[in-house]
């Protein structure tokens, strides 16, 4: 199937969806959306819609996987069959298994797992609509859900992708830019300590482009981090301490 | 020493609380001499430490805690006791005959004391310290809400006990056993406990609980 490559940046310097190169898509965040989970979150980045749910700390199964000194973190990143244009077969693909792993490793850097020896904490990320940047949206949602579940953690994680389309650096790629662009680099950070917890790169960046891209990502992450804090504060500001 | 929050403010993971790393208490952590919040909750100062009181969470066993558990396994050298959610406690009894003499079966609810908790798992005291419940209602609530259920100097739980006439045993792990003169009274006590759990963060709770118990009992 060969389609004609669309023009990704028009003569006014705007992108396919009318954004400036350093502009994020409209973001929507909500926490505590799933009743049966211990913590949950829903995140929307334009057309990308993701649910995350956290269960636990609970007994680790199978039991031999439990660790005596800390909890194990299980993570499942999954795209629903209807999330993409052509139906995705059920089950975990190679790509989903890999993303589950990198997301788990990113979350492990901030969560204080040693607080719950022998237990397991399960994180489920379900993409219900995919329009580029699902792993970054998933990670953003997962960190919100962990915070909602009251799992001790050093910081929230905010993530965004930067890329190169038509020779220009852009922030927060959509599906079209991801497909026809020259490079795509998802970045996740724990903004409090400015530490990078996930970084992948698809395509080619020159060293100077890489540096510029990382700064651009940091700018986006700062904005997303602020939104995450606002969302959590909004949900819990109504609660008051117990009178004991 | 500056602190960066107001009393009972809701803080988020990673929020800077103080410049003095020695003041790190429960629910916080310190990096490079600074204190940050580790979870969502209310920041408070107690003594010279800063604590974050979480809004929800799981029970963390401490030596000396009295807890309620359900026997989940009988082994030649002791019992395994499920303490709700993710925790399993172990009662070690070296004498095989003594294990049989105790007549504990899988599914029995017991009132026990935590001996130690660490890399060896949660160990429970044996001998006289174990009390088996012969009857009653087993209720589970969030362990974070236990202090509210007990109330100031036990005021809340005493009120529930007095009005319903029930004997209520509270385990620090969130499990509660209710024994009452009639199913109606037991039901009233259970409803009261659930109401306290749900509305722990509201004021004027004692009066509302009292009203509800009276309504159920007089109906």
């Amino acid at each position: 199937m060969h389609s004609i490559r669309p023009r990704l940046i028009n003569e006014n310097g705007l992108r396919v969806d009318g954004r400036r190169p350093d502009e994020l898509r409209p973001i929507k965040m909500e926490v505590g959306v799933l009743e049966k989970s211990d913590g949950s979150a829903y995140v929307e980045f334009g057309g990308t819609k993701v649910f995350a749910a956290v269960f636990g700390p609970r007994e680790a199964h199978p039991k031999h996987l439990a660790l005596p000194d800390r909890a194990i973190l299980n993570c499942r990143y999954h795209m629903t069959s209807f999330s993409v244009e052509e139906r995705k077969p059920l089950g975990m693909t190679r790509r989903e298994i890999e993303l589950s792993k990198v997301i788990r490793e990113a979350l492990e850097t901030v969560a204080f797992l040693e607080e719950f020896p022998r237990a397991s904490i399960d994180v489920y990320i379900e993409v219900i609509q995919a329009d580029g940047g699902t792993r970054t949206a998933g990670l953003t949602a997962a960190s919100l859900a962990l915070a909602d579940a009251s799992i001790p953690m050093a910081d929230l994680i905010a993530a965004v992708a930067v890329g190169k389309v038509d020779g220009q650096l852009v922030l927060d790629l959509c599906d079209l830019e991801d497909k026809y662009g020259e490079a795509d680099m998802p970045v996740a950070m724990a903004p409090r300590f400015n530490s990078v917890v996930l970084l992948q790169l698809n395509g080619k960046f020159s060293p100077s482009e890489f540096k510029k891209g990382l700064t651009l990502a940091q700018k986006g992450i700062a904005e997303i981090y602020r939104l995450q804090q606002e969302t959590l504060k909004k949900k819990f500001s109504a609660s008051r301490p117990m009178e004991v | 020493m500056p602190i960066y929050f107001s009393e009972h403010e809701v803080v988020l993971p990673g929020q800077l609380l103080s410049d003095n790393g020695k003041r790190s208490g429960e629910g916080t952590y310190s990096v490079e001499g600074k204190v940050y919040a580790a979870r969502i909750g209310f920041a408070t100062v107690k003594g010279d430490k800063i604590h974050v009181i979480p809004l929800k969470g799981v029970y963390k066993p401490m030596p000396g805690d009295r807890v309620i558990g359900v026997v989940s396994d009988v082994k030649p050298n002791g019992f395994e006791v499920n303490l709700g959610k993710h925790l399993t406690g172990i009662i070690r009894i070296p004498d095989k005959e003594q294990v049989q003499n105790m007549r504990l079966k899988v599914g029995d609810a017991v009132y026990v004391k935590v001996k130690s908790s660490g890399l060896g798992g949660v160990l429970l005291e044996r001998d006289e310290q174990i009390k088996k419940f012969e009857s009653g209602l087993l209720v589970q609530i969030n362990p974070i809400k236990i202090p509210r259920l007990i109330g100031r100097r036990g005021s809340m739980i005493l009120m529930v006990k007095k009005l319903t006439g029930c004997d209520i045993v509270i385990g620090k792990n969130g499990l509660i056993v209710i024994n009452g003169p009639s199913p109606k009274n037991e039901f009233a006590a259970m409803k009261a406990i659930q109401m306290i759990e749900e509305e722990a963060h509201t004021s004027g709770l004692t009066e509302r609980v009292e009203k509800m118990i009276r309504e159920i009992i007089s109906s």
Side-chain angles (χ1 to χ4, degrees), chain A residues 25-134:
Chain A
R25 287 177 284 183
I27 299 169
K28 201 178 136 192
M29 289 181 193
E30 239 179 288
V31 287
V33 285
L34 304 171
E35 202 186 310
K36 295 273 178 190
S37 66
D38 293 306
S40 59
Y42 172 70
V43 170
E44 239 180 72
F45 275 70
T48 297
K49 299 175 183 180
V50 182
F51 272 107
V54 170
F55 294 87
R58 58 184 180 185
E59 216 176 310
H61 276 294
K63 244 181 175 173
H64 70 264
L65 291 178
L67 300 173
D69 59 339
R70 63 189 185 93
I72 49 170
L73 188 74
N74 295 317
C75 183
R76 182 181 122 116
Y77 162 95
H78 182 244
M79 286 171 68
T80 48
S81 335
F82 52 82
S83 63
V84 274
E85 270 172 37
E86 197 156 328
R87 185 180 184 280
K88 188 197 130 294
L90 289 170
M92 299 285 277
T93 59
R94 180 196 58 79
R95 175 179 172 277
E96 286 167 310
I97 294 168
E98 181 201 316
L99 291 188
S100 302
K101 176 182 175 287
V102 293
I103 290 173
R104 190 192 74 225
E105 286 171 353
L107 292 174
E108 275 173 348
T109 60
V110 291
F112 294 126
L113 296 173
E114 59 277 12
E115 294 255 344
F116 311 108
R118 268 171 247 279
S120 86
I121 296 166
D122 304 329
V123 181
Y124 295 91
I125 297 164
E126 207 67 37
V127 179
I128 54 168
Q129 192 173 298
D131 186 19
T134 54

Side-chain angles (χ1 to χ4, degrees), chain B:
Chain B
M1 266 183 294
I3 47 172
Y4 296 101
F5 61 94
S6 47
E7 184 78 5
H8 293 315
E9 179 193 334
V10 176
V11 294
L12 304 176
Q15 190 168 332
L16 180 65
L17 298 180
S18 166
D19 281 335
N20 187 348
K22 285 178 189 147
R23 304 188 73 186
S24 169
E26 279 285 304
T28 68
Y29 67 97
S30 75
V31 174
E32 290 167 358
K34 288 188 171 146
V35 181
Y36 300 93
R39 57 208 314 196
I40 296 181
F42 304 102
T44 55
V45 182
K46 245 186 219 157
D48 59 343
K49 295 263 194 247
I50 295 167
H51 301 276
V52 172
I53 303 163
L55 289 151
K56 47 185 171 182
V58 291
Y59 168 66
K60 273 189 88 179
M62 296 287 179
D65 280 359
R66 292 206 157 265
V67 293
I68 293 172
V70 178
V71 177
S72 56
D73 202 357
V74 181
K75 292 182 165 174
N77 62 345
F79 303 96
E80 265 185 20
V81 181
N82 187 347
L83 300 175
K85 272 240 161 176
H86 68 293
L87 284 172
T88 309
I90 303 159
I91 305 172
R92 281 223 183 100
I93 297 164
D95 187 6
K96 200 173 165 185
E97 263 176 38
Q98 208 189 336
V99 173
Q100 286 162 354
N101 288 341
M102 289 182 65
R103 297 185 185 285
L104 283 179
K105 296 192 302 289
V106 171
D108 284 347
V110 284
Y111 191 44
V112 280
K113 200 167 157 187
V114 177
K115 193 177 183 183
S116 68
S117 163
L119 281 179
V122 183
L123 275 180
L124 304 169
E125 301 265 9
R126 57 193 170 93
D127 303 331
E128 326 70 65
Q129 307 280 8
I130 304 171
K131 191 187 142 203
K132 183 182 157 189
F133 292 102
E134 300 297 337
S135 65
L137 263 178
L138 189 64
V139 185
Q140 186 168 27
I141 69 165
N142 192 328
I144 297 281
K145 308 280 166 72
I146 291 286
R148 187 74 185 101
L149 173 62
I150 293 170
R152 204 173 275 144
R153 275 189 239 106
S155 58
M156 183 71 92
I157 195 67
L158 279 177
M159 188 266 292
V160 177
K161 276 182 184 171
K162 211 175 94 191
L163 286 179
T164 60
C166 292
D167 183 23
I168 301 171
V169 184
I170 301 174
K172 269 215 164 172
N173 57 339
L175 286 170
I176 295 154
V177 171
I178 306 167
N179 257 312
S182 76
K184 198 183 195 175
N185 292 40
E186 284 181 349
F187 177 75
M190 187 186 84
K191 276 284 168 199
I193 288 167
Q194 284 170 348
M195 185 177 176
I196 295 164
E197 185 197 9
E198 258 167 47
E199 301 174 20
H201 296 280
T202 58
S203 53
L205 183 58
T206 319
E207 290 80 50
R208 266 176 290 141
V209 171
E210 196 175 337
K211 198 178 150 222
M212 194 198 62
I213 294 174
R214 283 189 201 284
E215 264 170 29
I216 293 180
I217 288 184
S218 63
S219 65

Side-chain angles (χ1 to χ4, degrees), chain A:
Chain A
M1 192 183 77
H2 283 279
S3 48
I4 304 152
R5 189 180 172 284
R7 230 179 125 185
L8 294 171
I9 294 193
N10 69 14
E11 54 280 357
N12 298 327
L14 294 178
R15 292 150 71 181
V16 276
D17 44 10
R19 282 183 289 158
R20 281 175 274 112
D22 62 345
E23 198 178 334
L24 290 166
R25 287 177 284 183
I27 299 169
K28 201 178 136 192
M29 289 181 193
E30 239 179 288
V31 287
V33 285
L34 304 171
E35 202 186 310
K36 295 273 178 190
S37 66
D38 293 306
S40 59
Y42 172 70
V43 170
E44 239 180 72
F45 275 70
T48 297
K49 299 175 183 180
V50 182
F51 272 107
V54 170
F55 294 87
R58 58 184 180 185
E59 216 176 310
H61 276 294
K63 244 181 175 173
H64 70 264
L65 291 178
L67 300 173
D69 59 339
R70 63 189 185 93
I72 49 170
L73 188 74
N74 295 317
C75 183
R76 182 181 122 116
Y77 162 95
H78 182 244
M79 286 171 68
T80 48
S81 335
F82 52 82
S83 63
V84 274
E85 270 172 37
E86 197 156 328
R87 185 180 184 280
K88 188 197 130 294
L90 289 170
M92 299 285 277
T93 59
R94 180 196 58 79
R95 175 179 172 277
E96 286 167 310
I97 294 168
E98 181 201 316
L99 291 188
S100 302
K101 176 182 175 287
V102 293
I103 290 173
R104 190 192 74 225
E105 286 171 353
L107 292 174
E108 275 173 348
T109 60
V110 291
F112 294 126
L113 296 173
E114 59 277 12
E115 294 255 344
F116 311 108
R118 268 171 247 279
S120 86
I121 296 166
D122 304 329
V123 181
Y124 295 91
I125 297 164
E126 207 67 37
V127 179
I128 54 168
Q129 192 173 298
D131 186 19
T134 54
R135 79 193 70 182
T136 53
L139 193 48
T140 306
S143 93
L144 277 177
L146 274 180
D148 182 37
S150 207
I151 307 285
M153 54 206 279
D155 198 4
L156 299 169
I157 291 176
V160 77
V162 285
K164 191 164 78 165
V165 297
D166 290 354
Q168 197 169 353
L169 282 175
V170 292
L171 184 65
D172 195 13
L173 302 176
C174 69
D175 193 39
L176 217 58
E177 292 170 326
D178 187 14
K179 269 201 187 104
Y180 296 104
E182 294 103 77
D184 167 28
M185 179 169 79
V187 184
M189 294 178 84
R192 170 64 62 194
F193 303 103
N194 232 359
S195 51
V196 176
V197 294
L198 179 148
L199 189 128
Q200 295 177 304
L201 175 56
N202 217 328
K204 266 185 190 161
F205 267 159
S206 72
S208 73
E209 275 170 342
F210 176 80
K211 273 185 195 146
K212 267 189 212 152
L214 207 57
T215 330
L216 188 62
Q218 264 176 318
K219 203 184 134 219
I221 282 168
E223 172 69 13
I224 296 163
Y225 187 56
R226 197 182 55 72
L227 278 169
Q228 282 180 312
Q229 289 177 314
E230 241 170 55
T231 313
L232 287 171
K233 278 247 157 104
K234 204 168 87 195
K235 171 164 185 218
F236 292 103
S237 60
S239 30
R240 300 176 338 102
M242 292 190 287
E243 294 173 6
V244 189

